[in-house]
Amino acid sequence: MKIAIGADHGGFELKARLMASFKGCEDKGCFDPEACDYPDYADDVALAVAKGDADFGVLVCRTGIGMSMAANRFHNVRAALCHTVKEAETARRHNGANILCIGADTTDEKTACDMLSTFLATSVDETPRHVIRRAKIERAKRLSDFSLLAREDPEVWAAIKSQVVQEDTEINLIASENTSSRAVRLAAGSVLMNKYAEGYPGKRWYSGCLPVDAAEELARQRACALFGAEHANVQPHCGSAANMAVYLATIKPGDTILSLSLDQGGHLSHGSPVNFSGKLYNIVPYTVDRTTERLDYDALEKQALEVKPKILLSGASAYPRTIDFKRIREICDKAGCIMMVDMAHIAGLVAGGAHESPVPYADFVTSTTHKTLRGPRGGLVLCKAQYAKALDAAVFPGMQGGPLENIIAAKAVCFREWMQPEMKAYAAQVVKNCQAMCKAVQDRGFRIVSGGTDNHLFLVDVKAKGMTGKDAAAALDAAGIVVNKNTIPYDTESPFKTSGIRVGTASITTRGMKEQEAATIGGWIADILSDITNTALQQKIKAEAAKLVAGFPVP
Ligand SMILES: *Cc1c(COP(=O)(O)O)cnc(C)c1O
């Protein structure tokens, strides 16, 4: 057991006595009784506890008050000022305190020793009501990150606050969303946004780029290492921009792109007539098989040989099955076209080994960084070394000016997170949760597009039960379950109404939910969709849902 202990001059002597009585103390100062500033020592002890370098902290000043105030500014730190053994025990058991603050002028040596031994020996109570209350303390801290903004701009703060509350209380099943880490959000909100950095690391148009060069180089190297890519461009502002960069780097206006039809799971930037891609290029759509609702690779090969596209684009926004990238490589080789994969939706599954990687096969792989990949809102392109120069020139100066270096730093943080061993389990859990939820809905008689799911999302055919996707999504929303309406293959409804809903599990898995919770939520979805006019049921499930999510705090 490691105890980080610190004191100012007022607590110097009591600290020495405590250190003599307790093994495992790491002295963070002060080291002599000269007058000094208590926050300096509170910071060191709190940081050691926040980082996990110490299991417990002890802080002593004359009253313990200043020390507790300073230490409680830190994430994951709960510092308790105690005067009795009973307080030390309760602070630990109920409040999960991990730092004991003691007033040297208000507490004698024996009481201090007794409090500390009780504090160290008491375990934290994990019954749900205490877990939920402690989670609410952390929520308050997430809001207090913005306490300055609350003063400067109360209107914008109110919008942010309502998002915080919404994330805490709703079940987010939007397949294209996730819940980023605090580390990612800190980098995204950092001073790196102050820098203009047109160009690339080491070759910028502005002076003073050393700090952003360091951040962007980390992002590029980590992206290559994480995905095993030969080259990475981390500058695209979003996924659509990443796709635009590849088109610009490789083909001319009027050239042919063979891509999955938008209403069958493709993306706007894959050639929708209302998007630049559909306006500039000759788009030929491919479709899924009418009965299996899966890609038919033989049909795709036949079509590719007929159409002779410059680019065969795979990847989707609403395809619940694995994609066979090896087979697509064969098709591209036969048709003599560029293999481009947009892995925006599945990038996290690829990073975590829960979906085969397209990187070894494809000439270009584009992605967003904010979906299953759980990073900041942004884009990414990976490519073979032979295309590196053309790609970089397409992004800058081809289509963007200064890159968002703060977002690029957040991408670097995200890529590093994925190199931690626990992320493999996360990716696998996203899929397990999706299958458990999908099965719970399917078992209640709902038709699932393609009969199930291999990834982080599934599509429910709600038209088969006589409602539109729009009405189904609205009913679920009223119960605090957030999904989106979505077209399904060969949909006969308009894209505004649709015949389906799309359900994804990346976000709930980030919050720590497992198959059991996923199945419970699946049951609620089936309950609500069995009678979308039953508002009393929606209210009842909304209350139950809020109770469930309270046990799974947002990072
Ligand atoms: C989400 C998505 C994108 C890009 O989205 P942006 O909103 O532009 O970041 C691109 N391709 C696919 C397949 C997507 O699902």
Side-chain angles (χ1 to χ4, degrees):
M1 184 181 357
K2 272 210 222 150
I3 307 163
I5 187 164
D8 67 354
H9 52 287
F12 178 72
E13 218 169 289
L14 181 55
K15 170 170 72 88
R17 305 246 173 92
L18 288 169
M19 284 174 54
S21 309
F22 289 86
K23 277 204 281 290
C25 286
E26 190 185 337
D27 192 358
K28 296 285 188 187
C30 59
F31 299 104
D32 59 55
E34 286 286 297
C36 60
D37 299 333
Y38 61 85
D40 295 341
Y41 305 98
D43 285 3
D44 283 350
V45 168
L47 207 55
V49 171
K51 283 177 19 191
D53 293 345
D55 306 300
F56 294 95
V58 178
L59 286 167
V60 194
C61 63
R62 289 208 186 283
T63 61
I65 294 171
M67 283 295 197
S68 62
M69 286 178 169
N72 274 317
R73 302 288 149 137
F74 286 79
H75 183 46
N76 279 338
V77 162
R78 286 179 295 279
L81 170 60
C82 300
H83 303 90
T84 65
V85 172
K86 175 78 190 147
E87 283 176 357
E89 193 208 331
T90 309
R92 178 80 191 129
R93 194 181 301 289
H94 288 177
N95 314 117
N98 46 20
I99 295 181
L100 177 64
C101 298
I102 306 173
D105 287 359
T106 54
T107 309
D108 59 64
E109 183 188 337
K110 177 168 182 322
T111 309
C113 285
D114 291 348
M115 286 200 306
L116 183 53
S117 48
T118 302
F119 191 75
L120 299 177
T122 305
S123 53
V124 179
D125 190 331
E126 296 294 341
T127 49
R129 66 178 189 280
H130 292 301
V131 172
I132 288 168
R133 287 167 194 162
R134 291 195 297 269
K136 286 195 173 178
I137 296 180
E138 289 302 320
R139 180 214 279 188
K141 280 195 183 176
R142 276 193 300 134
L143 286 170
S144 73
D145 285 351
F146 292 96
S147 47
L148 176 71
L149 189 59
R151 204 178 58 211
E152 299 287 323
D153 191 334
E155 289 150 298
V156 169
W157 184 78
I160 295 170
K161 182 179 172 188
S162 57
Q163 173 74 13
V164 167
V165 173
Q166 178 173 302
E167 288 186 5
D168 272 359
T169 50
E170 290 189 335
I171 296 177
N172 180 10
L173 302 176
I174 304 272
S176 52
E177 292 181 8
N178 207 330
T179 308
S180 56
S181 70
R182 259 223 229 191
V184 162
R185 297 198 299 271
L186 279 172
S190 70
V191 292
L192 293 177
M193 78 175 67
N194 296 335
K195 194 69 199 112
Y196 240 117
E198 285 176 344
Y200 290 96
K203 254 175 74 184
R204 304 283 194 185
W205 293 80
Y206 291 84
S207 302
C209 284
L210 283 181
V212 295
D213 276 8
E216 187 168 341
E217 200 47 56
L218 280 170
R220 295 207 292 196
Q221 284 172 10
R222 288 175 183 175
C224 287
L226 177 62
F227 291 107
E230 293 175 10
H231 178 73
N233 189 307
V234 294
Q235 292 192 356
H237 299 328
C238 63
S240 300
N243 288 338
M244 184 187 242
V246 176
Y247 307 148
L248 270 181
T250 54
I251 60 176
K252 300 215 152 42
D255 282 348
T256 301
I257 300 172
L258 181 57
S259 61
L260 182 63
S261 162
L262 174 64
D263 60 349
Q264 301 215 349
H267 187 258
L268 270 179
S269 59
H270 295 187
S272 159
V274 300
N275 183 263
F276 79 92
S277 52
K279 293 183 201 289
L280 290 183
Y281 304 104
N282 175 40
I283 304 296
V284 179
Y286 59 89
T287 54
V288 297
D289 180 78
R290 207 173 253 281
T291 45
T292 63
E293 297 171 310
R294 298 181 190 216
L295 292 171
D296 177 343
Y297 298 97
D298 294 337
L300 181 58
E301 176 173 321
K302 195 161 156 266
Q303 192 181 10
L305 291 174
E306 276 165 23
V307 170
K308 298 199 186 326
K310 285 268 166 59
I311 292 177
L312 171 51
L313 172 51
S314 51
S317 303
Y319 185 67
R321 295 299 181 172
T322 49
I323 300 175
D324 186 349
F325 295 121
K326 184 159 178 273
R327 181 77 178 89
I328 290 177
R329 176 78 253 175
E330 286 168 14
I331 298 172
C332 291
D333 286 342
K334 280 189 194 166
C337 63
I338 288 169
M339 175 172 173
M340 171 178 173
V341 176
D342 178 347
M343 65 168 180
H345 259 265
I346 57 168
L349 304 185
V350 169
H355 190 297
E356 189 192 23
S357 173
V359 174
Y361 303 108
D363 299 296
F364 292 89
V365 176
T366 59
S367 187
T368 52
T369 47
H370 51 271
K371 296 179 183 173
T372 50
L373 199 57
R374 214 165 85 175
R377 195 152 283 278
L380 166 72
V381 186
L382 307 170
C383 70
K384 300 284 185 227
Q386 69 190 98
Y387 299 112
K389 250 181 119 171
L391 171 68
D392 286 354
V395 175
F396 174 85
M399 54 179 285
Q400 289 185 179
L404 311 175
E405 293 292 349
N406 51 320
I407 299 299
I408 288 170
K411 290 173 190 173
V413 173
C414 161
F415 299 147
R416 186 178 175 282
E417 288 177 354
W418 277 100
M419 292 172 189
Q420 310 311 309
E422 66 268 18
M423 294 303 276
K424 266 203 161 25
Y426 166 72
Q429 191 67 48
V430 169
V431 177
K432 283 191 246 173
N433 286 354
C434 194
Q435 291 173 338
M437 193 182 294
C438 179
K439 182 169 184 305
V441 177
Q442 195 167 28
D443 285 352
R444 296 276 298 277
F446 287 86
R447 195 184 84 78
I448 306 297
V449 169
S450 84
T453 175
D454 304 323
N455 59 23
H456 64 296
L457 68 85
F458 63 96
L459 295 162
V460 188
D461 176 358
V462 295
K463 180 94 184 284
K465 291 274 191 189
M467 68 197 111
T468 63
K470 181 169 178 267
D471 293 340
L476 291 167
D477 194 41
I481 298 175
V482 187
V483 303
N484 62 281
K485 66 182 177 194
N486 215 98
T487 54
I488 60 174
Y490 305 99
D491 207 320
T492 50
E493 291 286 345
S494 77
F496 294 102
K497 287 190 175 158
T498 80
S499 298
I501 54 167
R502 187 182 67 164
V503 185
T505 50
S507 188
I508 61 159
T509 309
T510 298
R511 298 179 71 162
M513 292 191 198
K514 298 263 165 38
E515 290 96 317
Q516 193 189 334
E517 291 79 25
T520 301
I521 296 167
W524 288 337
I525 292 174
D527 287 341
I528 292 161
L529 297 188
S530 297
D531 180 7
I532 57 170
T533 61
N534 189 344
T535 50
L537 177 70
Q538 290 160 10
Q539 285 313 304
K540 182 172 157 275
I541 289 176
K542 188 178 181 131
E544 285 179 48
K547 233 187 272 168
L548 176 80
V549 295
F552 297 91
V554 173

